[in-house]
């Protein structure tokens, strides 16, 4: 008698219980100021933010994008939790409905990923930070079907803006990618922020 089906069902059940337990832990964490905790399925990751080199482009981008979005029904938000299944991420900036109640999950923990039209990450120094934004979050945001992912990356060559679009949730990939060096205007190609330009005023000058 084959037991492979029963073993598979049991493994799936235990994985589901683990993810739910981790979500409950994540919900109750008391974080020190300047830190954030994100939930990647069965993995909890902590990182820090608030350094001036990280905050300056974000503040500039969020103010400019929020003004650009007036009249669209959407707004730009900083450090808001985005929830997809049992995962929860905190992008540096996201674009979601201007009336937050339209985007919140039933438990009020954050915006449902399905309501988020764009996310932005400013890549922090350090290998783990770079891997998180360039690889793990790229895969996670695509898997959630978020239409546009923007990376502002001081540590890619001498500074690069990457705009990823056309997500394939089943594969966790973005089919379209535009990369341009700092100093080049990069426009958002779709969604509520379509036509918004990421310029040197936001990114700063080329590094080095």
């Amino acid at each position: 008698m084959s037991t492979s089906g029963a073993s598979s069902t049991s493994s799936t059940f235990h994985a589901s219980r683990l993810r739910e337990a981790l979500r409950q832990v994540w919900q109750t964490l008391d974080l020190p100021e300047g830190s954030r905790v994100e939930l990647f399925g069965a993995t909890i990751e902590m990182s820090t933010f608030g350094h001036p080199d990280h905050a300056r482009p974000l503040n500039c981008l969020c103010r400019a994008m929020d003004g650009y979005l007036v009249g669209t029904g959407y707004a730009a938000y900083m450090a808001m939790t985005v929830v997809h299944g049992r995962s929860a991420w905190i992008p540096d900036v996201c674009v979601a409905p201007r009336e937050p109640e339209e985007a919140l999950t039933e438990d009020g923990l954050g915006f449902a990923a399905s309501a988020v039209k764009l996310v932005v990450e400013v890549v922090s120094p350090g290998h783990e930070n770079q891997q998180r934004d360039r690889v793990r979050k790229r895969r996670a945001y695509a898997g959630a079907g978020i239409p546009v992912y923007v990376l502002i990356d001081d540590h890619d060559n001498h500074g690069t803006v990457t705009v990823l679009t056309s997500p394939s949730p089943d594969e966790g990939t973005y089919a379209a990618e535009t990369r341009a060096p700092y100093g080049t205007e990069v426009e958002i190609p779709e969604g509520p922020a379509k036509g918004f330009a990421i310029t040197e005023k936001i990114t700063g000058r080329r590094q080095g």
Side-chain angles (χ1 to χ4, degrees):
M1 182 176 70
S2 173
T3 60
S4 60
S7 297
S8 176
T9 300
S10 176
S11 296
T12 300
F13 173 76
H14 287 301
S16 178
R17 289 285 299 272
L18 174 61
R19 291 189 179 94
E20 182 57 32
L22 285 173
R23 182 183 170 101
Q24 291 175 13
V25 170
W26 169 77
Q27 288 178 235
T28 58
L29 286 173
D30 185 15
L31 299 179
E33 187 175 352
S35 64
R36 60 182 169 186
V37 171
E38 298 174 291
L39 187 56
F40 289 76
T43 304
I44 292 177
E45 294 191 16
M46 178 179 287
S47 58
T48 59
F49 61 95
H51 190 279
D53 289 343
H54 191 264
R56 188 201 62 77
L58 285 177
N59 290 333
C60 184
L61 181 143
C62 197
R63 286 196 302 268
M65 185 173 283
D66 198 52
Y68 187 87
L69 290 167
V70 169
T72 67
Y74 288 85
Y77 299 87
M78 290 182 65
M80 279 292 295
T81 300
V82 175
V83 179
H84 179 68
R86 290 191 176 92
S87 293
W89 316 293
I90 307 175
D92 289 325
V93 173
C94 71
V95 171
R98 190 166 288 274
E99 297 298 328
E101 294 76 13
E102 298 178 18
L104 289 174
T105 57
E106 289 184 6
D107 54 16
L109 289 176
F111 290 151
S114 58
V116 174
K117 303 303 179 184
L118 176 148
V119 287
V120 180
E121 299 287 359
V122 173
V123 180
S124 298
H127 177 74
E128 278 304 307
N129 291 328
Q130 292 167 22
Q131 286 294 105
R132 182 181 61 251
D133 290 341
R134 295 173 184 168
V135 179
R136 294 194 292 279
K137 282 200 168 182
R138 177 174 179 152
R139 183 166 55 242
Y141 291 151
I146 295 175
V148 183
Y149 178 26
V150 179
L151 281 155
I152 298 175
D153 195 343
D154 281 0
H155 314 286
D156 180 9
N157 199 0
H158 298 288
T160 301
V161 176
T162 300
V163 178
L164 300 159
T165 55
S166 301
S168 177
D170 290 341
E171 298 175 3
T173 60
Y174 284 96
E177 176 177 338
T178 298
R179 295 177 72 249
Y182 285 6
T184 304
E185 289 195 3
V186 182
E187 290 192 357
I188 304 301
E190 62 181 78
K194 180 178 180 179
F196 177 83
I198 300 172
T199 66
E200 188 176 281
K201 183 177 179 180
I202 292 171
T203 64
R205 295 182 179 179
R206 295 268 286 167
Q207 309 295 307

